[in-house]
Amino acid sequence: PDDNNAPLDAPPAYDSTVGSSSRQTAPVEKSRAPASVPLPLSPAPSTVKSRVVQKSAWEELGDEMGDLMASLGLGTARHRATTEVRKTVTGLIHDLVRDQSIDSVGILDSCSEVCAAYEINMPSLLQRPYIEGHTPLYWAIVKRPADASETAASELPPLIRALLAYSAPLSAETVTDVRLACLQTCDQWLFQGLRCCADFSALPYKDQLLLGVQVPPDTVAIEVPARHSAPFTVNFGLAHFQKRMRISHEVRLDFISHARMWELAFFVAESTGSGLQQGQWAARIALLDTSPPS
């Protein structure tokens, strides 16, 4: 769109902040923060949630109709301005996942403020599969560089943490897209890191009620052999296992190994089928639907 017609409080154009991907500009050295003031790694959850504009399905449909009318040169000036802001925000997010060296937190925070001003539901916008059929979170995961220094205690990459915070709460479709990204890159470390993130909501709702908002520190460690065809070992620990079994009747643990996503589940038998007595505790391991056959 023409810059002269852009809303005054729209996010800064990508060219003016970090440089266009199609035009090379001289790098600008960023000033370092004082040693006593850590650089922001993720937005404050309270700040993000206070800006989220909640809309019903009918209101979301109305926004889409407004976008269509604006693209045809119809509708009110407010609708046309909102459409331009939405296009600018999606363009900036597209560039964030393409060039992951950009200050993602600062740009997403600016986008969040403008979306709130124009009553745009930013979590809904971030969860649209508008980048080659997938969400921005999917591309942030599949494009992230591997880091040999990552350990179980390492934090999630800044871009992924920020996208999670601004996308929450995640829909079932977005969670599926994120799981697929981890599977396609065989990223067991990131998958387990996401599972321990409150914004990812990996726990069943009954377990969330039972255990509170704190995600239990279930641990999974995969011992992968040198030969791909050799057996692998899974070491795991489950928090409050007996309590969860008695009340929830099932404890699940998903993990990635050998380019497949596996489910290890402990459950209470509800019938006498499969040779189990009703009420008996049992376990199963299975491949999930998104995995290729073993």
Side-chain angles (χ1 to χ4, degrees):
D2 187 354
D3 291 342
N4 295 328
N5 296 327
L8 294 178
D9 50 353
Y14 187 73
D15 292 349
S16 64
T17 55
V18 295
S20 171
S21 58
S22 61
R23 184 175 69 247
Q24 297 295 327
T25 58
V28 179
E29 183 178 355
K30 294 183 179 180
S31 59
R32 293 182 178 270
S36 59
V37 181
L39 293 173
L41 295 179
S42 59
S46 58
T47 302
V48 174
K49 292 179 180 178
S50 66
R51 296 178 186 159
V52 174
V53 179
Q54 300 294 343
K55 292 191 174 184
S56 66
W58 283 108
E59 289 173 320
E60 292 284 352
L61 179 60
D63 289 344
E64 293 177 2
M65 291 299 297
D67 289 348
L68 177 61
M69 294 179 66
S71 66
L72 298 174
L74 305 174
T76 64
R78 175 73 177 184
H79 260 130
R80 291 194 295 272
T82 301
T83 299
E84 292 303 320
V85 169
R86 191 177 285 110
K87 288 180 179 178
T88 301
V89 169
T90 53
L92 286 170
I93 294 168
H94 182 280
D95 286 332
L96 280 180
V97 298
R98 184 170 56 183
D99 182 2
Q100 300 197 9
S101 63
I102 303 170
D103 175 19
S104 55
V105 175
I107 292 178
L108 284 171
D109 194 60
S110 174
C111 291
S112 175
E113 291 181 355
V114 176
C115 283
Y118 279 83
E119 298 183 347
I120 297 172
N121 188 324
M122 188 166 173
S124 176
L125 191 66
L126 284 172
Q127 294 184 68
R128 292 182 180 179
Y130 70 91
I131 305 178
E132 297 296 324
H134 292 284
T135 61
L137 261 172
Y138 171 93
W139 289 108
I141 291 171
V142 299
K143 278 183 58 65
R144 86 175 190 93
D147 187 350
S149 65
E150 289 169 342
T151 66
S154 300
E155 291 185 326
L156 294 176
L159 174 59
I160 294 175
R161 287 206 313 274
L163 284 173
L164 272 175
Y166 284 105
S167 299
L170 302 185
S171 66
E173 292 78 11
T174 301
V175 171
T176 299
D177 205 38
V178 169
R179 289 167 64 95
L180 178 63
C182 292
L183 175 61
Q184 290 182 337
T185 54
C186 301
D187 201 334
Q188 159 69 3
W189 174 84
L190 180 61
F191 182 65
Q192 295 306 320
L194 288 169
R195 186 183 57 79
C196 295
C197 179
D199 291 324
F200 192 63
S201 300
L203 281 178
Y205 185 62
K206 186 180 289 188
D207 277 0
Q208 294 180 38
L209 289 174
L210 176 64
L211 301 171
V213 296
Q214 183 66 38
V215 178
D218 294 342
T219 59
V220 186
I222 311 296
E223 295 181 11
V224 181
R227 290 188 300 109
H228 186 75
S229 58
F232 61 91
T233 303
V234 181
N235 299 309
F236 59 91
L238 302 171
H240 304 288
F241 174 70
Q242 294 192 26
K243 184 177 183 180
R244 291 158 75 182
M245 286 291 289
R246 293 192 186 100
I247 297 176
S248 300
H249 294 174
E250 184 179 54
V251 177
R252 286 182 46 182
L253 201 58
D254 298 343
F255 60 91
I256 296 172
S257 180
H258 287 58
R260 294 169 177 83
M261 188 170 291
W262 305 79
E263 176 197 68
L264 175 63
F266 299 89
F267 62 97
V268 179
E270 297 181 353
S271 64
T272 57
S274 303
L276 298 175
Q277 298 295 323
Q278 186 172 1
Q280 184 178 1
W281 289 17
R284 68 171 179 267
I285 185 168
L287 284 174
L288 296 180
D289 294 340
T290 52
S291 297
S294 178

